[in-house]
Amino acid sequence: MTTQPQPLSPMKTGVRGLCPRCGQGHLFEGFMKLKLKCEACGLDNGFADPATGTAFFVNCFTFILVAVVVSAWIEIAMSPSLWVHILVSLPIVLMACVLPLRPLKGWLVNSQFFYKTRRGKIPSGYAAPETATPGADKV
Ligand SMILES: [Zn+2]
């Protein structure tokens, strides 16, 4: 009797930038570029397609939260001049947007592997059902 290896948690491996299959190899070369293959187990990372998901999550949660909370708090509490926002708020917002990119991308890619997601395909010969367009019969 053979036992299947336990699938690795995308949260544990992806956030740390490790291979979704073996958890030993590295997922990235450089800051955001995915490696073509895992150096430890040879997993082809061609399945990975996070597209704009990483930027979406960062924009939706981190940027808005930090921009609204920090910048608005500074403005309301202290009413500083513009240069204070440039020196304080801008670096905080930039760091809040850049730092989570890599862990989020790793989590998204490893979640794609974990849940076996693939790009959708439309079967050949498929015809979309006709829809009723008001006024189309009067042309
Ligand atoms: Zn690997």
Side-chain angles (χ1 to χ4, degrees):
M1 184 172 120
T2 60
T3 58
Q4 292 283 342
Q6 289 291 327
L8 300 172
S9 165
M11 184 57 82
K12 289 181 181 172
T13 56
V15 170
R16 294 179 2 210
L18 298 175
C19 172
R21 184 164 67 187
C22 67
Q24 302 297 315
H26 296 93
L27 195 58
F28 297 101
E29 61 181 32
F31 183 64
M32 292 289 289
K33 185 179 178 187
L34 292 173
K35 284 187 169 183
L36 295 176
K37 289 187 173 198
C38 172
E39 73 268 18
C41 70
L43 173 67
D44 182 7
N45 287 330
F47 68 90
D49 185 21
T52 57
T54 309
F56 171 78
F57 283 117
V58 168
N59 274 326
C60 281
F61 301 110
T62 306
F63 173 73
I64 293 172
L65 186 69
V66 170
V68 169
V69 172
V70 173
S71 300
W73 178 77
I74 289 173
E75 180 62 31
I76 292 169
M78 299 175 233
S79 297
S81 59
L82 181 61
W83 65 268
V84 174
H85 281 294
I86 292 172
L87 292 178
V88 176
S89 301
L90 186 63
I92 290 173
V93 168
L94 287 176
M95 287 184 54
C97 290
V98 172
L99 293 179
L101 284 175
R102 186 178 162 131
L104 273 173
K105 187 172 183 176
W107 172 67
L108 286 174
V109 167
N110 287 13
S111 293
Q112 288 178 327
F113 181 81
F114 186 82
Y115 294 108
K116 300 176 178 54
T117 59
R118 297 289 180 260
R119 182 179 292 269
K121 292 181 180 173
I122 298 174
S124 61
Y126 174 78
E130 291 187 29
T131 57
T133 305
D137 56 335
K138 296 178 183 171
V139 177

